[in-house]
Amino acid sequence: MARRLRAAGAILILASCTGAGTAGEDLRVALDTARTGAGAVVLLTGLSSAERATLRGVGAERAARLLRVNVAGRDSTPVAGTWRVSDSAFEFRPAFALDRGRRYDVRVDPSQLSPPRGGPAFVSAVMLPAGDTTPATRVVQVFPSSDSVPANLLRMYVQFSAPMSREGALDHVRLLDEDGREVPAAFLPLEADFWNEDRTRYTLFLDPGRVKRGILPNEQMGRAILAGRRYALVIDARWRDAQGRPLVAPHRHAMIGAPPDEKPVALADWRLSAPRAGSRDTLAVTFGAPLDQGLLRRAMGVEDARGHALRGEIAIAPGERAWRFVPGEPWRAGQHRLVVLAILEDPSGNRIGRAFEVDRFERVDSIARPDRHTLPFTVR
């Protein structure tokens, strides 16, 4: 029998266990949202004081056997978190906030108590209701932003207007060909979902086994994107945001396949526009070809002659062909350096001086590569 209570600052969704034994009260699962800044906490109530005492300091392995939280309807990895005993309950605090509008299954095994209670393990469903206090979320942009993408494209990014739920993309994203048919197995299925810190940008990985020549999936199925063909990345509106609501509308990003890009990123093709001393002029760096939008935001910076990093604002030009830096303080005359970390790649996975595509008969050198590169420029 389940019931929902509304209290000041809290929503409790309760489910009781029938036949759970005689120690203490009947065991009940509750979802408590009254903790300031802590997100919802799952409670197991109905424990006697003696049972709570034996659970204090219990290890995570036994705690997980007693109370485990999973996304409902999926045989998924249990929700990560920590357990503790309070004055009235055994508590589970998720490491990341539970998604609104998503149902979770809480499995309780009374036999893990000391002494064990009789009765089988039981599952209770809990859910935070969807919020409705902020505007619904929409897709802002898809990267690469150009309407032309290389046939050996490895990554795409979906940028949202507000934080999203932790749902993965593969249930909500499709790659369609020019006839409107879904390209099968285009994306790499992963256990983990690749969100940025505030869950406003999702990274989609095209299956590298289909991208890289000489690999079995590539030989059997070919690349998902072919040069000269038109495609559309279609994002379903049912993808839910952090408030548990669907997107404002579906999103369609059209693109055309271009020949594969299999050359290393070449710093010799870059052009820098040196700013003037005493100004806050923009340092503009123009590339010979588009680079990876996500990596550009964290793989480039500016330092002075003493190696001190300069703080400022970064912007990336449309098409990801240029990087711009506006310093927080006026430029000082003298030598400066543009710093480029070795992790920087183009959309096809090519790095500075090293291509993603290596012939299987080609010897790969074992020389240690630098973890960063620098391009000097002078502020006059």
Side-chain angles (χ1 to χ4, degrees):
M1 179 91 182
R3 59 196 178 100
R4 177 180 296 175
L5 302 180
R6 290 187 179 269
I11 299 174
L12 302 180
I13 304 173
L14 307 180
S16 62
C17 167
T18 57
T22 58
E25 306 172 10
D26 285 346
L27 296 179
R28 294 184 298 276
V29 172
L31 190 60
D32 183 5
T33 63
R35 314 300 177 88
T36 303
V41 176
V42 178
L43 308 178
L44 178 62
T45 63
L47 297 166
S48 67
S49 58
E51 288 172 328
R52 292 198 303 275
T54 62
L55 290 173
R56 296 186 188 278
V58 70
E61 184 175 345
R62 182 181 166 196
R65 291 199 299 267
L66 172 60
L67 187 151
R68 187 183 70 203
V69 181
N70 286 78
V71 177
R74 294 186 184 180
D75 185 17
S76 59
T77 303
V79 174
T82 56
W83 296 261
R84 66 181 291 271
V85 179
S86 69
D87 292 337
S88 59
F90 183 63
E91 303 182 357
F92 174 74
R93 178 170 296 179
F96 304 98
L98 300 179
D99 293 333
R100 291 186 175 275
R102 169 176 279 188
R103 190 166 65 90
Y104 293 86
D105 286 337
V106 183
R107 184 183 186 275
V108 177
D109 186 355
S111 69
Q112 298 300 316
L113 295 169
S114 291
R117 288 205 191 191
F122 66 96
V123 175
S124 296
V126 298
M127 183 176 68
L128 280 171
D132 56 1
T133 59
T134 58
T137 305
R138 60 185 177 84
V139 175
V140 175
Q141 196 166 11
V142 172
F143 299 97
S145 59
S146 171
D147 58 3
S148 176
V149 297
N152 58 341
L153 179 68
L154 276 180
R155 275 186 299 268
M156 301 186 75
Y157 300 98
V158 182
Q159 186 74 44
F160 298 91
S161 62
M164 293 288 289
S165 68
R166 293 190 178 275
E167 291 182 12
L170 296 190
D171 291 337
H172 307 291
V173 171
R174 295 176 297 152
L175 182 65
L176 304 184
D177 63 19
E178 55 195 9
D179 296 320
R181 295 173 298 193
E182 182 173 1
V183 178
F187 300 107
L188 182 65
L190 296 169
E191 289 293 330
D193 293 316
F194 287 84
W195 290 102
N196 64 346
E197 187 174 350
D198 63 2
R199 302 210 309 271
T200 58
R201 190 190 70 201
Y202 188 89
T203 305
L204 275 169
F205 292 90
L206 281 84
D207 190 340
R210 294 189 62 180
V211 172
K212 192 172 181 64
R213 290 184 284 106
I215 303 297
L216 185 60
N218 175 271
E219 294 182 345
Q220 289 180 332
M221 304 178 67
R223 286 172 170 154
I225 297 175
L226 301 176
R229 301 284 184 87
R230 295 187 178 276
Y231 298 89
L233 180 72
V234 177
I235 300 170
D236 193 337
R238 290 177 297 175
W239 203 347
R240 294 183 297 179
D241 66 12
Q243 301 299 318
R245 302 163 305 181
L247 297 174
V248 169
H251 187 85
R252 185 182 183 92
H253 178 74
M255 52 194 173
I256 186 170
D261 187 353
E262 299 178 346
K263 294 181 180 180
V265 175
L267 292 180
D269 295 336
W270 293 18
R271 297 292 179 265
L272 279 68
S273 63
R276 297 169 299 159
S279 74
R280 293 184 64 229
D281 287 349
T282 299
L283 170 67
V285 184
T286 304
F287 315 122
L291 294 179
D292 183 283
Q293 189 267 352
L295 293 174
L296 272 174
R297 292 200 170 274
R298 59 189 180 93
M300 291 178 62
V302 180
E303 64 183 24
D304 61 22
R306 294 176 295 175
H308 296 159
L310 272 61
R311 288 185 292 183
E313 296 182 0
I314 292 172
I316 300 171
E320 297 77 65
R321 289 179 172 271
W323 181 90
R324 298 179 178 131
F325 175 82
V326 177
E329 299 180 356
W331 292 99
R332 293 184 179 182
Q335 291 293 317
H336 291 72
R337 290 183 290 266
L338 176 71
V339 179
V340 186
L341 299 183
I343 61 171
L344 182 63
E345 297 179 353
D346 66 15
S348 299
N350 302 306
R351 294 191 174 188
I352 297 171
R354 185 171 185 175
F356 174 78
E357 192 70 63
V358 178
D359 190 274
R360 55 182 163 179
F361 298 110
E362 181 180 342
R363 183 178 67 85
V364 179
D365 64 74
S366 58
I367 300 174
R369 297 178 181 273
D371 59 2
R372 70 177 208 161
H373 306 266
T374 59
L375 290 176
F377 64 95
T378 305
V379 176
R380 302 186 185 280

